[in-house]
Amino acid sequence: MPLEGKAFRDLRLKLFNLENKNKPLQGLGYFPQKHSATGTTIFTVMSALAQQYNAINLSQGFPDFHIDPQLSQALGDAARNGFNQYAPMAGLPPLRQAVAANFKKRYGLDIDPENEITITPGATYAIYTAFTSILQAGDEVIVLEPAYDSYIPNIEMNGAKVVPVALTAPGFHVDWNKVKDAITPLTKAIIINTPHNPGGSIWNKKDWDELAGLVRDTDIVIVSDEVYEQLVFDGMKHYSVLEHPELRQRSFAIYSFGKVYNCTGWKIGYCIAPPAFTQAFRRIHQFLSFTVNTPAQHALTYILSNDTAPAIHEVMQKKRDHFLSLMKQIPFTIYEPAKGSYFQIAGYERISDLPDMEFAQWLTKEHGVATIPLSPFYSNKKDDKLIRFCFAKKEETLNEAVERLKRLV
Ligand code: PMP
Ligand code: GLN
């Protein structure tokens, strides 16, 4: 006769030796540890500290200036015009069509809006969903570090194992021999991020060819986080995985409208992937969020077709250049100007020998400027004594931050 109720529970506890793990229903100890990250994400920690100490917040990556008024107008119009109910699961068809037209215009690529594009509540969600659609317990995923802080927890939450490979610091380029050595028969995926957060580096075509050479004749999937694709400076070009015909067949490419239209708080992005990958992605997506904020999808459709603002890379490059010229007065070491993204890396060895976490906290509390230390972007918390400044800010914000930093001199 099958055991029921308490008897079953008691037997299970005994069999799996769980008696001592049966913690009270309170405190984190009770809940299963789904990933290895301890504590709160560094972006929340540093933004909260900035607020507490009234510091200029150059830590978390978000613009502090207004969005294009056309975009806020379009959002209000959509809500007023009654577009307030669920949008289709894969995203509003006109938005997917506008994304496809935009990729045709900018990259010359043909993307099928029906079968290859899914609108998502942000890029972080799309990365998680891509991982969830491919990973099983025991799989390995190669992560190039420093890495955006959601990747590792997202992989672990799917029961897979992270195989970290360090980028060369401080230039943040890929050492292809290290990647080759990290590949095993269990490797299921590699996550790429170009332009790179936090490093500000970008991949060239040769990098993609190297990757293609390593994954050829394997079933390794590429998850390509390209949220900063439109933030590339000095006339350089972003190479998308979608432009590599061989890799495109095995890739999820992930984007965020937040970084293009300065609306990070809207949390809307999209995933472009071949039809079979898109099907697998939507199998998960339909039961996670199902769909995405409808009025915002209407507004983004409008702006994609009617954008009159200057290209965002020009706006952001001016900010980077302004910030770098101001920083010449302060003894931070700029190894390389950021080639892309919102972020500039700097060394502080001429200012302090504190560990990077302590240095960033000290700078916030004592000098009123919040930044992000780099060690949280490494699984082994490697401390290269580097911090990350976000320059996606108003000129006056950058001026005031550097005025405060001058007290360091
Ligand atoms: N990937 C990287 C590298 C990022 O910096 C960010 C920044 N937020 C994201 C993904 C997430 O984008 P979203 O806000 O659209 O989730
Ligand atoms: N992507 C942003 C950064 O790197 C922050 C996103 C977040 O706060 N999770 O700063």
Side-chain angles (χ1 to χ4, degrees), residues 22 84 101 124 134 155 158 186 244 254 256 271 294 306 322:
N22 198 18
N84 298 302
T124 311
I134 54 169
I155 294 163
N158 280 293
L186 296 178
H244 199 288
I254 287 161
S256 173
C271 172
T294 302
N306 298 280
H322 181 65

Side-chain angles (χ1 to χ4, degrees), residues 41 43-44 59-61 148-149 197 228 259 343 372 377 388:
T41 153
F43 306 120
T44 300
S59 64
Q60 196 177 18
Y148 184 58
D149 76 342
N197 177 10
Y228 298 105
K259 319 290 179 194
F343 308 114
I372 295 281
F377 293 81
R388 187 195 84 174

Side-chain angles (χ1 to χ4, degrees), residues 26 52 65 112 120 128 149 171 182-183 192 210 220-221 224 251 263 271 279 295 300 331 342 347 372 380 397:
Q26 274 175 359
Q52 187 184 346
F65 44 91
D112 173 4
T120 62
Y128 176 76
D149 76 342
I183 294 178
I192 308 303
E210 292 273 4
I220 296 172
V221 172
S224 187
S251 300
C263 55
C271 172
Q279 260 180 28
L300 289 165
Y342 281 166
I372 295 281
N380 64 1
T397 309

Side-chain angles (χ1 to χ4, degrees), residues 195-209:
H196 188 254
N197 177 10
S201 56
I202 57 174
W203 276 33
N204 53 36
K205 180 159 183 324
K206 194 165 159 286
D207 287 308
W208 289 114
D209 289 340

Side-chain angles (χ1 to χ4, degrees), residues 295-341:
Q297 289 198 62
H298 279 276
L300 289 165
T301 308
Y302 175 84
I303 202 81
L304 264 170
S305 325
N306 298 280
D307 194 0
T308 51
I312 189 65
H313 68 89
E314 285 171 20
V315 173
M316 220 52 85
Q317 179 172 336
K318 277 201 189 117
K319 293 182 183 300
R320 181 206 63 174
D321 291 345
H322 181 65
F323 180 64
L324 285 178
S325 74
L326 292 172
M327 285 292 277
K328 288 200 176 117
Q329 307 165 58
I330 323 284
F332 280 103
T333 309
I334 305 291
Y335 294 96
E336 274 183 38
K339 297 190 171 80
S341 83

